[in-house]
Amino acid sequence: MAPGLVRTLALAAACSLNVVAAAPGITVQVPGLVVPSSQASNKQKVVDVFTTSWNAYKEYAYGHDDLTPISMSFVDSYGGWGASIVDALDTAFLMGETSIFEEAVQWSTSVDYNISNNAQVSVFETTIRYIGAMLVAYQLSDEKYPELVSKSVEVANKLSLAFDGSSPIHWGYVDFNDSVPITGATSNIAEQGTLTMEWVTLSNLTGNQTYADLALGAVLHITNLSAPLPGLPAQGIDPATGDPVGAYVTWGGGSDSYFEYLIKYARLSNTDDNIFADTWATAVDTSIQVLARKSTVGDWQFLADWDTGTIIHIDSHLECYSAGNWLLGGKLLKNETIVNFALSHNDACWNTYASTATGIGPEAIAYFSSDGNYTSVSPSSGDIAFYERNGFFIQPGSEYYYMRPEVLESNFYAWRITGDTKYLERAASALEAFEVYLAAPVAYAPIDDVDATDSAFMDDMQSFWFAEVLKYLYLTFDDPSNISLDEYVFNTEGHPFKAPPAKSSYGSGKLTHPPGPFQVNPGTLPQVSPLPRLSSNLNQPGP
């Protein structure tokens, strides 16, 4: 979409056609939505996949972070505290797997989180997986297990060491054994902007405002920085100074959950501070003007990346969360332009599943648009042929599926917000593909190549398989009154926090304009969502 088009947000009467009538208490989800009875078998299939995965994890990896389903062993990448157990807490609860839930509570509340098997513990990953899961399990179980809050405090107290006072921005990692932050490395805005839901909830439950102050301080600092584009800060940030690093702009990894939490925190807290909703609205508005691109084949709607004025025609599985996030935010802002854009982007994300041999989407894709073909790589003749058939091609080196949830997450939002049964059909299609192509020697595993029906496996079943993929699939087929989008807000790991009744409006209806020109500061950006270490025994093909 060419620059210079009129602003798309509902800022005033000039954009009134984009706004639905205001009403007390905004409704996000379709009222009275019912899942057809024909989907009951799919709901049960999801439970079966969950229990199969859990039983294999329990046999070969119990107490460790992730099952390695090919070598039938384990890896500890997230503290070594049993990330899969903790991350599965609320999924087991929602599925009615009471014995698994109670076992997971017992484990989660008996771990000593003051000592870690890893030299470096990620503030971001530990917050979304451990604190998020434990606090939500506490809420869902009617506050039956207060130890879940106590253990969250134990974890957060250690993580708070990452805020060493250098700036409002925390260091990305903490040495739990020596109780010191690991300093010197650059961070990114996703790491910094993804604590508010969990840490503010922890403050509300404990009465200790420190957690909220630390989390909110980092986000507010970023919202007040000058940015490469309005509302779109640089991906990188230096904890030592609080200054941006580089000028890379993306809704994908390294930036994603910063944007995600702006509007989700506004909804979860019902805060009167409009900076969160307004900054999110500005980011969306700029993105529709500057980053929105359609493929020359298929007319698929994507969000490009941007680097110092250069549009990069790529999209990613991680970035596909934004379709669901925009659906939620568009409803909260009562802006149908945002909702419609999100539905179009969601269709493009689903097309990355529908176009492969396995019916599963890859890690990252590229496309050509009317403004150019720059994708940061040189496509092969095979890539171009794939593009001519499907309106995208798989980025070389990104052919794998790492059991990510984002496409099915947005599909879940699209179902709950529109009631269109095509989203149920898409979920069923993905579930069938998972059962066929991810079935490993034990449990399920990522695959190297989504466009090969005989792909080799990758040896790491991440905890978000329990926390996100299977939860979003289950809730898609479940009674929509269960975890309604009008009553709960999901954190970036798929844990649904109980929300107060919605307000009648969110944000001021104005765009934010941080002061000052943007300056590009050099620095090395951290790796985003690194792949697991692959063992030499992973040559076994899938089905």
Side-chain angles (χ1 to χ4, degrees):
M1 184 174 294
L5 296 181
V6 295
R7 293 221 176 253
T8 58
L9 291 178
L11 305 180
C15 295
S16 61
L17 291 179
N18 294 330
V19 187
V20 298
I26 292 171
T27 299
V28 171
Q29 187 166 296
V30 173
L33 187 62
V34 175
V35 175
S37 58
S38 59
Q39 297 295 333
S41 60
N42 285 321
K43 177 180 171 181
Q44 183 57 49
K45 285 180 182 178
V46 180
V47 176
D48 294 343
V49 171
F50 176 88
T51 54
T52 297
S53 301
W54 175 267
N55 290 337
Y57 166 79
K58 188 172 181 179
E59 180 175 356
Y60 297 104
Y62 196 77
H64 296 279
D65 289 339
D66 293 336
L67 168 71
T68 53
I70 312 305
S71 56
M72 300 180 211
S73 186
F74 57 82
V75 291
D76 284 325
S77 303
Y78 303 107
W81 302 308
S84 288
I85 302 174
V86 183
D87 232 1
L89 274 165
D90 50 333
T91 305
F93 181 89
L94 293 173
M95 289 181 172
E97 296 293 330
T98 305
S99 61
I100 294 177
F101 174 72
E102 292 180 348
E103 179 182 355
V105 169
Q106 175 62 33
W107 173 269
S108 302
T109 56
S110 63
V111 171
D112 182 357
Y113 295 101
N114 289 295
I115 301 173
S116 169
N117 289 345
N118 301 135
Q120 300 186 359
V121 175
S122 167
V123 177
F124 165 77
E125 298 286 2
T126 306
T127 292
I128 64 174
R129 298 179 194 235
Y130 289 96
I131 297 178
M134 288 193 285
L135 293 183
V136 164
Y138 172 72
Q139 292 180 335
L140 290 177
S141 60
D142 293 325
E143 304 181 354
K144 181 179 178 180
Y145 303 99
E147 300 94 337
L148 291 167
V149 179
S150 300
K151 285 298 182 178
S152 296
V153 167
E154 187 175 302
V155 175
N157 285 348
K158 279 280 193 173
L159 294 179
S160 67
L161 297 170
F163 294 88
D164 71 347
S166 300
S167 76
I169 301 302
H170 63 79
W171 298 101
Y173 294 84
V174 172
D175 184 327
F176 267 47
N177 299 326
D178 291 338
S179 298
V180 294
I182 298 172
T183 62
T186 303
S187 182
N188 58 55
I189 60 173
E191 288 183 340
Q192 300 301 322
T194 317
L195 308 183
T196 53
M197 291 179 63
E198 298 84 358
W199 287 42
V200 171
T201 298
L202 188 59
S203 284
N204 292 340
L205 291 172
T206 63
N208 185 341
Q209 186 63 23
T210 301
Y211 307 116
D213 290 344
L214 292 173
L216 291 169
V219 175
L220 293 172
H221 176 81
I222 297 171
T223 64
N224 284 294
L225 288 174
S226 59
L229 296 168
L232 297 172
Q235 182 187 58
I237 193 165
D238 185 351
T241 63
D243 294 333
V245 174
Y248 199 90
V249 170
T250 180
W251 280 79
S255 298
D256 44 10
S257 46
Y258 161 76
F259 298 116
E260 178 185 359
Y261 272 35
L262 288 172
I263 193 64
K264 286 186 172 181
Y265 175 72
R267 172 62 186 94
L268 181 64
S269 67
N270 278 347
T271 176
D272 292 328
D273 188 344
N274 289 322
I275 189 64
F276 302 96
D278 287 352
T279 301
W280 184 86
T282 305
V284 170
D285 181 70
T286 300
S287 298
I288 291 177
Q289 291 191 78
V290 180
L291 303 182
R293 292 294 186 280
K294 287 191 173 183
S295 61
T296 55
V297 172
D299 205 34
W300 298 108
Q301 182 69 73
F302 295 110
L303 281 174
D305 285 7
W306 184 98
D307 191 5
T308 323
T310 298
I311 286 288
I312 308 171
H313 299 83
I314 59 175
D315 212 320
S316 67
H317 204 293
L318 282 168
E319 190 165 345
C320 281
Y321 89 94
S322 64
N325 187 243
W326 285 33
L327 286 171
L328 174 66
K331 284 294 184 180
L332 293 177
L333 269 60
K334 296 176 287 197
N335 186 295
E336 290 304 309
T337 296
I338 298 175
V339 170
N340 291 333
F341 185 100
L343 290 172
S344 294
H345 189 206
N346 186 63
D347 285 343
C349 289
W350 177 252
N351 183 51
T352 68
Y353 273 56
S355 300
T356 68
T358 62
I360 302 172
E363 180 74 359
I365 64 97
Y367 55 91
F368 307 142
S369 191
S370 60
D371 69 310
N373 297 342
Y374 180 66
T375 65
S376 77
V377 298
S378 296
S380 67
S381 59
D383 293 333
I384 294 173
F386 191 99
Y387 174 78
E388 292 297 333
R389 294 192 305 271
N390 303 303
F392 74 94
F393 65 90
I394 301 172
Q395 280 276 63
S398 295
E399 299 87 355
Y400 57 91
Y401 173 64
Y402 194 27
M403 306 178 87
R404 294 204 188 278
E406 290 79 14
V407 172
L408 294 174
E409 172 187 354
S410 289
N411 186 73
F412 161 73
Y413 277 91
W415 157 243
R416 290 285 188 91
I417 284 172
T418 71
D420 191 329
T421 56
K422 74 178 182 181
Y423 302 112
L424 297 176
E425 296 166 4
R426 290 176 178 181
S429 175
L431 175 60
E432 181 180 3
F434 291 165
E435 289 181 300
V436 173
Y437 296 108
L438 304 188
V442 297
Y444 299 85
I447 53 176
D448 276 334
D449 187 351
V450 296
D451 204 38
T453 56
D454 59 350
S455 172
F457 291 113
M458 298 159 63
D459 201 15
D460 185 15
M461 188 180 77
Q462 282 270 324
S463 70
F464 51 66
W465 174 247
F466 292 116
E468 297 187 81
V469 178
L470 298 182
K471 183 187 289 112
Y472 283 123
L473 277 172
Y474 179 82
L475 290 176
T476 300
F477 299 124
D478 194 22
D479 181 350
S481 66
N482 188 22
I483 314 297
S484 166
L485 293 177
D486 292 312
E487 298 174 359
Y488 292 85
V489 181
F490 290 82
N491 86 335
T492 199
E493 189 75 3
H495 300 302
F497 283 80
K498 181 65 176 176
K503 301 194 300 181
S504 61
S505 65
Y506 289 85
S508 68
K510 299 178 181 178
L511 300 181
T512 60
H513 296 282
F518 177 74
Q519 177 180 337
V520 179
N521 300 308
T524 302
L525 298 180
Q527 187 177 7
V528 175
S529 296
L531 285 173
R533 294 185 298 275
L534 301 184
S535 304
S536 59
N537 62 350
L538 300 188
N539 295 320
Q540 299 185 47

